[in-house]
């Protein structure tokens, strides 16, 4: 469910929004999710497998990845 929200966020975001979001401090919920992913390799793999292509493509389009 969280992965689907991340995918939708990146699909609908403009490059300006992606740049701004990158610079914003992380909220408590996001910090907790990141900590869970660090502690659970299986959950992390499923999450990354699901969101990686969408996030990487948007970052490439916005010049965040060479």
């Amino acid at each position: 469910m969280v992965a689907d929200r991340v995918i939708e966020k990146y699909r609908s975001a403009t490059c300006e929004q992606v740049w701004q979001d990158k610079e914003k401090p992380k909220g408590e919920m996001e910090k907790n999710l990141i900590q869970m992913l660090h502690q659970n390799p299986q959950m992390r793999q499923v999450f990354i497998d699901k969101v990686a292509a969408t996030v990487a493509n948007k970052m490439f389009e916005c010049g965040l990845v060479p």
Side-chain angles (χ1 to χ4, degrees):
M1 185 168 87
V2 173
D4 291 334
R5 289 174 56 190
V6 171
I7 290 168
E8 184 54 38
K9 175 182 166 184
Y10 274 87
R11 281 188 181 152
S12 63
T14 65
C15 287
E16 181 68 27
Q17 290 168 326
V18 172
W19 277 97
Q20 288 174 356
D21 194 44
K22 185 177 185 256
E23 296 172 0
K24 269 193 325 193
K26 293 178 182 17
E28 199 60 38
M29 184 186 296
E30 191 173 354
K31 287 179 186 177
N32 290 339
L33 174 62
I34 291 168
Q35 185 173 356
M36 271 195 313
L37 294 175
H38 276 286
Q39 295 172 347
N40 187 329
Q42 187 176 15
M43 183 187 296
R44 180 175 59 239
Q45 182 176 355
V46 170
F47 179 82
I48 290 174
D49 287 349
K50 192 162 186 174
V51 303
T54 302
V55 172
N57 279 321
K58 181 58 89 168
M59 291 178 73
F60 183 78
E61 289 173 13
C62 295
L64 294 168
V65 178

